[in-house]
Amino acid sequence: MTLLDALGNGTRLAILRELSREPMYVSELATEIGMDGKTAVHHLSTLEEAGLVEHYRRGNRKYYELARRIELRIAPPPERAFVLQADPIDDESESESS
């Protein structure tokens, strides 16, 4: 599955939106999105395979978080390129500018 395929699903976009707020464990995320755990694991595996999320363990819970850096390069003709890049947000500088 390609990165665009992974992003082309509303459920996976909802998962990414939730994870953009804070890391979550599977059952917590499934409850927030309104799906069962098995479906959540399927979508999380797809997102992880695409490099959009990462996981870590704390006790017996598996937490997911957004990947630190995601870069998507699309180059239709050789003379043009489109780059979408997402870097971590610095919460401190954001609150200072508000």
Side-chain angles (χ1 to χ4, degrees):
M1 176 169 291
T2 68
L3 182 59
L4 289 176
D5 291 332
L7 291 172
N9 178 284
T11 301
R12 287 191 283 273
L13 290 175
I15 290 171
L16 292 172
R17 187 173 30 257
E18 289 300 321
L19 293 178
S20 73
R21 296 181 181 112
E22 64 182 328
M24 300 175 94
Y25 57 93
V26 176
S27 59
E28 177 182 39
L29 184 60
T31 300
E32 281 296 315
I33 303 294
M35 69 180 80
D36 62 70
K38 186 175 179 180
T39 303
V41 167
H42 166 75
H43 287 297
L44 287 163
S45 295
T46 300
L47 291 169
E48 193 168 27
E49 183 181 308
L52 295 169
V53 300
E54 301 168 340
H55 76 271
Y56 62 91
R57 291 200 177 269
R58 184 170 294 153
N60 59 355
R61 289 187 174 161
K62 189 175 186 178
Y63 284 81
Y64 285 86
E65 63 185 352
L66 292 182
R68 299 250 183 267
R69 180 181 176 132
I70 301 164
E71 190 171 305
L72 171 64
R73 291 184 180 269
I74 304 172
E79 67 276 2
R80 295 184 318 176
F82 171 79
V83 177
L84 171 66
Q85 181 174 322
D87 290 320
I89 296 173
D90 182 0
D91 292 332
E92 192 173 303
S93 65
E94 237 184 48
S95 61
E96 290 172 3
S97 64
S98 301

